[in-house]
Amino acid sequence: MAVLVQLPRTKLYRIALLPLVLWLALRAGVSLDFCGKQPGYAFLNQALASCMCNLAMRAMAWVLVDEPYVKLDHDNARSSNGIADKANTESSTTSSNNIRSAMLNASDLCNNLRGIGWNWSKGVHIRSPTIKVESRLVFAVLSLSRSLLCMSIGDALDLCIRGFAPQGSAGWSIFDPTLPPIRRYLQSSIITVLVGFSGVSTVEMVYSFNAAACVVLFQQHPSQWPPLFNKPWFSPSLAKFWGRNWHQLFREVFVGCGYKPLESILGQYAVIGAFVISGILHDIGMRGMGHGDTLRIVGYFVMQGVGVALERLWRRLTGRRVGGPLGCLWVWIWQCFWGNHLVDAWAQGGMIARSELLPVRPFSWALNSAGLLASQGS
């Protein structure tokens, strides 16, 4: 499928191949068990289910495109700051009009979720790196250091979250029924914020490690691994939170399968369709752990779409964009309110404070060495 989407006049072939791709993705997602019946490693099955769902959705998005995907020439596709330049896709392209070049580009396409260096990524916001690094070795060392730092931060956050969770390996609720309502929801909101920052650190950890590995082993250029997040905690609006400051790894799928099919009907409010697809992806991931919660997981993402739609309605009625300190406060309130239900679904499914996600726990090791966690363990 990744080869065919690069070649002209192959839409019928892609349509014919789609059922097989969907069946194979479903087969892999429901038949493989990566956790070995160990609850602490159930997140591996979640990752498998999410990957297979993303694979299936990308295949559907590739079936719907009319123009072939074109890989830009590496030297010309980078702007002066090392970021993929998508404004000039006609003057600097690497032809995929033959099977050999398409095969070589297919591996990059399958692993390049943001489309860096491809014509289809036009409109994807990619943050410029703070420091431009050309040396592969220096970039690899910096990326590994960042991965270790994010691992330590994630470990510290996980320890904080585990401090709220009851002992045991089963799922739990972030809403403590023994607390009065105000304290209960204050505590659940604190847990929700901690989980949000933990998610950012975990994704950054994996991304930075992969960046170092690909630059060293596959000789990719550092410009192919620009920053993933753009300080989402300072977002002045939900639109900027999701469209610019959050990672854009699944944007192709959400836009291709959720936004574009509804655009002719709902116009700018078709953004809700993109969030529905996002919710389905995350719900299927939790079902890989055996604990789906469609109402709360999909509901959270649907309400993010509703929030973005409300911001667009506000601009239409008042002529002003949502932004500034009040816009940032609006983002925090909206995220915390609906995020409580999402995080509770994750906690009850055994994903929060129960997973052995981190391969190494530097922060716990340091505290243990100092004797501060002797009674708790790591």
Side-chain angles (χ1 to χ4, degrees):
M1 188 72 78
V3 173
L4 292 176
V5 76
Q6 301 174 63
L7 302 175
R9 298 180 297 277
T10 60
K11 190 166 187 175
L12 290 178
Y13 297 105
R14 282 178 270 145
I15 294 174
L17 187 60
L18 181 62
L20 177 61
V21 174
L22 297 180
W23 181 82
L24 291 174
L26 176 63
R27 177 78 173 174
V30 301
S31 62
L32 298 178
D33 180 16
F34 286 173
C35 72
K37 307 301 180 182
Q38 300 182 55
Y41 294 92
F43 71 91
L44 295 174
N45 286 342
Q46 181 206 25
L48 172 65
S50 298
C51 287
M52 292 302 102
C53 180
N54 182 53
L55 185 152
M57 289 181 176
R58 290 193 81 187
M60 289 188 284
W62 292 347
V63 165
L64 295 175
V65 299
D66 296 319
E67 297 296 327
Y69 283 178
V70 178
K71 191 173 188 299
L72 308 182
D73 177 77
H74 176 69
D75 293 327
N76 295 326
R78 288 187 289 127
S79 63
S80 58
N81 61 2
I83 300 302
D85 181 5
K86 297 167 284 292
N88 188 5
T89 60
E90 295 181 359
S91 61
S92 57
T93 61
T94 300
S95 175
S96 294
N97 288 331
N98 61 77
I99 294 295
R100 181 178 180 279
S101 61
M103 287 289 290
L104 293 175
N105 293 334
S107 60
D108 179 78
L109 178 60
C110 290
N111 295 286
N112 194 342
L113 298 182
R114 287 188 289 176
I116 298 172
W118 289 82
N119 67 332
W120 60 267
S121 62
K122 185 177 181 181
V124 177
H125 175 74
I126 300 176
R127 174 189 161 195
S128 301
T130 304
I131 302 175
K132 181 181 177 181
V133 178
E134 294 291 338
S135 169
R136 288 184 171 86
L137 179 59
V138 173
F139 180 82
V141 171
L142 292 176
S143 295
L144 287 176
S145 300
R146 183 178 182 84
S147 182
L148 181 61
L149 175 62
C150 291
M151 190 184 304
S152 302
I153 294 173
D155 184 18
L157 291 169
D158 186 61
L159 285 176
C160 293
I161 297 169
R162 288 174 186 263
F164 291 105
Q167 295 294 323
S169 59
W172 58 288
S173 176
I174 66 173
F175 301 112
D176 189 344
T178 64
L179 297 176
I182 295 180
R183 286 187 58 193
R184 180 190 312 160
Y185 292 108
L186 177 61
Q187 176 175 293
S188 68
S189 296
I190 293 173
I191 296 173
T192 297
V193 172
L194 291 174
V195 169
F197 280 102
S198 178
V200 172
S201 65
T202 301
V203 174
E204 283 278 14
M205 175 190 72
V206 176
Y207 180 80
S208 297
F209 180 82
N210 287 339
C214 290
V215 166
V216 172
L217 298 178
F218 303 107
Q219 292 296 292
Q220 291 187 339
H221 195 276
S223 66
Q224 295 177 265
W225 293 89
L228 198 57
F229 293 93
N230 187 24
K231 300 178 182 178
W233 40 87
F234 292 137
S235 300
S237 67
L238 287 170
K240 287 191 175 180
F241 179 94
W242 291 111
R244 296 175 62 88
N245 299 340
W246 198 250
H247 73 76
Q248 302 296 298
L249 295 177
F250 304 121
R251 185 179 188 276
E252 176 196 18
V253 168
F254 299 158
V255 172
C257 297
Y259 180 84
K260 288 185 177 179
L262 298 175
E263 185 178 14
S264 60
I265 302 174
L266 301 179
Q268 63 178 347
Y269 301 106
V271 67
I272 296 177
F275 283 101
V276 170
I277 298 299
S278 178
I280 292 173
L281 174 66
H282 286 81
D283 184 52
I284 289 177
M286 280 303 296
R287 291 185 182 279
M289 296 180 65
H291 298 281
D293 191 336
T294 302
L295 179 62
R296 291 195 291 178
I297 295 177
V298 178
Y300 165 80
F301 289 97
V302 169
M303 293 312 300
Q304 297 308 302
V306 170
V308 174
L310 288 175
E311 290 181 350
R312 294 181 176 180
L313 180 61
W314 169 264
R315 184 186 179 190
R316 182 178 178 181
L317 295 176
T318 66
R320 294 181 295 174
R321 293 178 180 271
V322 175
L326 289 179
C328 188
L329 178 62
W330 145 259
V331 171
W332 275 89
I333 293 175
W334 192 262
Q335 290 285 22
C336 285
F337 180 81
W338 297 108
N340 267 265
H341 303 286
L342 174 68
V343 172
D344 189 55
W346 283 348
Q348 291 190 25
M351 179 180 171
I352 307 299
R354 296 290 187 255
S355 296
E356 301 298 329
L357 178 62
L358 300 174
V360 182
R361 291 182 173 271
F363 191 77
S364 296
W365 176 84
L367 293 181
N368 273 321
S369 299
L372 299 177
L373 281 181
S375 63
Q376 297 181 14
S378 59

